Amino acid sequence: MARRDIAGRGIRDEAVLRAMRTVPRERFVPDEMVELAYEDHPLPIAEGQTISQPYIVALMASAAELGPGDRVLEVGTGSGYGAAILGCVAGEVWTIERHEQLALGARNVLGDLGLDRVHVVVGDGTLGHAEAAPFDAIVVTAGAPTVPAALLGQLADGGRLVIPVGQAPWGQELLRIRRRGDRLVEDRLGGVRFVPLIGAQGSDVDDES
Ligand code: SAM
């Protein structure tokens, strides 16, 4: 998978490629999906959510330009797979999920794999995680209608926010927003398709269906 679907599509970040080769994706998918774990598409998980396509996980981790000492916030834990990849590349990761059952499942798998520098938090990630801010990178794995101000406020100087923005599930674009002092510099990384980001600075619960 790493060679064909990730490096083959232009991901060059060696640490991300190593993580994609190392983290056992089959541990993060429902039992009946294990055979499909390394296929090149997202898969359904509990609570009507998805584990993202491997390439998209690698693209976002690479776009976040992570270093080994970085403090990272992931919004949207889902299965915990993306957090595991971030945890292999960065220093310390907080991942926040609004569905408690998903958070508990992810915490178990991450614990089993010994990824003890990945902390799973239950809550509304559109508000970030002020207790651990500022972050060198924030990776949002659900589509936001607009960029949540709270996340921009929790970015360290030089920090990168990687976030899909636009109406879910169509018309979303992946953005990387870099803080340079008081300035925010935006790169557009292409079209993507994610479940909606639901919360105080996201979409309404009604948009989830
Ligand atoms: N990174 C995940 C993985 O590797 O499995 C994929 C996540 S899935 C595409 C998006 C997740 O974002 C869902 O689990 C959803 O419940 C969660 N989510 C949506 N809005 C949220 C919010 N405001 N705070 C935290 N999690 C949220």
Side-chain angles (χ1 to χ4, degrees), residues 169-187:
W170 306 107
Q172 297 170 358
E173 185 164 30
L174 189 62
L175 304 182
R176 174 176 50 211
I177 301 170
R178 195 185 304 268
R179 174 172 292 289
R180 292 204 189 283
D182 290 339
R183 275 191 331 126
L184 295 168
V185 182
E186 182 179 299
D187 295 315

Side-chain angles (χ1 to χ4, degrees), residues 98 124 126 142-148 164-169 172 194-209:
R98 61 186 285 271
D124 177 3
T126 66
T146 55
V147 178
V165 177
Q167 275 325 109
Q172 297 170 358
F194 279 88
V195 296
L197 182 72
I198 309 280
Q201 294 188 21
S203 297
D204 295 334
V205 178
D206 293 348
D207 297 344
E208 188 161 24
S209 54

Side-chain angles (χ1 to χ4, degrees), residues 68-73 86-87 90-94 116-119 135:
D70 279 359
R71 294 162 62 85
V72 179
L73 175 67
L86 297 173
E92 191 145 19
V93 176
W94 288 262
D116 48 9
R117 290 167 69 87
V118 180
H119 315 287
F135 299 101

Side-chain angles (χ1 to χ4, degrees), residues 62-180:
S62 148
E65 297 177 354
L66 302 174
D70 279 359
R71 294 162 62 85
V72 179
L73 175 67
E74 181 193 46
V75 176
T77 310
S79 67
Y81 177 70
I85 297 293
L86 297 173
C88 289
V89 179
E92 191 145 19
V93 176
W94 288 262
T95 178
I96 184 161
E97 171 57 53
R98 61 186 285 271
H99 287 293
E100 186 172 16
Q101 286 311 313
L102 289 178
L104 294 177
R107 190 180 286 150
N108 281 340
V109 181
L110 292 163
D112 284 352
L113 294 176
L115 288 162
D116 48 9
R117 290 167 69 87
V118 180
H119 315 287
V120 181
V121 179
V122 179
D124 177 3
T126 66
L127 302 176
H129 187 51
E131 294 93 306
F135 299 101
D136 300 299
I138 301 177
V139 176
V140 181
T141 71
T146 55
V147 178
L151 299 184
L152 293 173
Q154 292 176 25
L155 262 190
D157 194 13
R160 293 80 55 200
L161 168 62
V162 177
I163 181 169
V165 177
Q167 275 325 109
W170 306 107
Q172 297 170 358
E173 185 164 30
L174 189 62
L175 304 182
R176 174 176 50 211
I177 301 170
R178 195 185 304 268
R179 174 172 292 289
R180 292 204 189 283

Side-chain angles (χ1 to χ4, degrees), residues 41-56:
H41 49 72
L43 291 169
I45 56 172
E47 306 287 0
Q49 303 302 317
T50 53
I51 173 173
S52 302
Q53 177 190 13
Y55 168 67
I56 292 292

